[in-house]
Amino acid sequence: MKLNANETDAFRRDGYLVLSDLVDPVTCAALRHQADALVAAFEPDDVASIFSTTNQQQATDLYFLESGGAVRCFFEEEAFDATGALQVPKSRAINKIGHALHDLDPVFAPFSRSSAFEDIVTTLGVAEPLLLQSMYIFKQPSIGGEVVWHQDATFLYTDPVSAIGLWVALEDADIENGCLWALPGGHLHGLKRRFKRGAGGATFFDEMDDVAWRNEDFVPLEVRAGTVVVLDGSLPHGSRANRSIRSRHAYTLHVIDREAKYPSDNWLHRPANMPLRGFGSQI
Ligand code: FE2
């Protein structure tokens, strides 16, 4: 899956690349099935108890902060009613699973190490790719939350910026069910802010540029299941809420270059016994 010159030129110019029919329907179905199994095995009461402790924010933060080396489920905000009770079935309540499926899950790990993905990122100049983060995103019917405009390198920073995202549509994605939107060429204007982990684990944004992105400059990326959208880590993108009756499942994998510096104040830390690995190493 070597990209041709037209494709690499388009990626450099636009900050993203849409590759249709890269993942076959059987594989898409197998990934969706595995995500469903992970949610079925998830005990929401365990996490609900985390949210109800007196140290609520601290416990919530810890559940997130320690997910860089784990497989954890995160709820849709609108899954709860005003009293804090789940108002949809568990299978319709999860926003995403993250953030180490690519290392820990027997289905997602080999898929994440597909030679096609390795070829794409190395063709785009990542000298020594490391698989940093993975997420299964459900974009649930009716309540799938908005993802505000952002750059992935805000959260997955390296010096220099090296993050590349591989966004895999596991279902058709369109404007109605909350497809990706991107700002073509917006990656050329640098990083707007960094999301940092401060002393004691508190997280905050370090603002580097206050130039606003204009909504009207974003374009929808409507794609069929099996499409892979490659995203420059500096590309502004996001997605709107899903108010349709259809879900919009996607799997995202983020890769960085081992040659770039990964700062310790990034939010995503890995346990000492789980160093980042490249495409060549299997579980
Ligand atoms: Fe993103």
Side-chain angles (χ1 to χ4, degrees):
M1 182 59 215
K2 298 287 185 193
L3 301 176
N4 63 39
N6 285 342
E7 290 170 325
T8 55
D9 286 351
F11 182 80
R12 301 274 175 244
R13 180 189 68 229
D14 299 331
Y16 65 90
L17 187 61
V18 177
L19 302 169
S20 303
D21 299 321
L22 202 65
V23 181
D24 64 80
V26 172
T27 303
C28 288
L31 297 174
R32 292 199 305 267
H33 180 79
Q34 180 65 2
D36 288 345
L38 289 170
V39 172
F42 170 60
E43 296 291 345
D45 288 349
D46 295 349
V47 178
S49 68
I50 290 174
F51 290 118
S52 64
T53 62
T54 48
N55 292 321
Q56 181 180 337
Q57 194 57 49
Q58 190 182 359
T60 306
D61 288 349
L62 209 57
Y63 184 77
F64 166 72
L65 287 172
E66 292 180 349
S67 66
V71 173
R72 292 188 171 175
C73 292
F74 297 86
F75 287 106
E76 290 281 4
E77 259 184 63
E78 295 180 29
F80 300 93
D81 65 19
T83 69
L86 269 185
Q87 58 177 349
V88 291
K90 181 177 71 169
S91 61
R92 289 290 180 92
I94 304 302
N95 171 286
K96 67 179 177 184
I97 306 173
H99 289 95
L101 289 158
H102 61 286
D103 276 331
L104 298 175
D105 184 87
V107 174
F108 287 99
F111 173 71
S112 301
R113 287 177 168 76
S114 308
S115 59
F117 294 158
E118 181 174 18
D119 287 347
I120 289 169
V121 299
T122 53
T123 308
L124 292 176
V126 181
E128 206 174 334
L130 292 174
L131 281 61
L132 174 60
Q133 175 189 272
S134 48
M135 293 188 285
Y136 190 97
I137 301 164
F138 291 87
K139 207 76 169 179
Q140 300 283 2
S142 305
I143 62 168
E146 176 187 13
V147 177
V148 297
W149 306 141
H150 67 281
Q151 297 161 299
D152 290 336
T154 287
F155 304 94
L156 306 171
Y157 181 73
T158 60
D159 181 16
V161 170
S162 66
I164 287 183
L166 298 161
W167 189 97
V168 184
L170 301 176
E171 295 180 310
D172 296 348
D174 52 43
I175 290 175
E176 274 205 343
N177 69 350
C179 68
L180 276 180
W181 290 69
L183 177 58
H187 63 304
L188 300 172
H189 303 294
L191 193 59
K192 200 174 196 45
R193 57 185 188 165
R194 276 191 60 199
F195 184 66
K196 291 183 176 177
R197 182 196 290 231
T203 54
F204 63 97
F205 285 100
D206 185 5
E207 306 291 339
M208 299 148 76
D209 166 11
D210 60 1
V211 178
W213 295 316
R214 303 190 314 167
N215 288 341
E216 57 267 38
D217 292 335
F218 285 75
V219 298
L221 304 182
E222 296 188 290
V223 299
R224 307 279 295 178
T227 300
V228 174
V229 182
V230 189
L231 299 161
D232 185 294
S234 294
L235 182 78
H237 65 282
S239 60
R240 294 178 177 160
N242 180 10
R243 300 302 179 201
S244 79
I245 58 170
R246 293 174 295 126
S247 56
R248 193 229 66 193
H249 291 200
Y251 176 67
T252 71
L253 174 69
H254 282 89
V255 171
I256 56 171
D257 196 334
R258 187 191 291 275
E259 293 183 358
K261 180 178 180 291
Y262 187 84
S264 60
D265 59 0
N266 273 359
W267 82 267
L268 195 162
H269 290 185
R270 296 269 291 199
N273 62 351
M274 273 184 72
L276 296 179
R277 296 184 292 128
F279 282 97
S281 51
Q282 300 287 338
I283 56 171

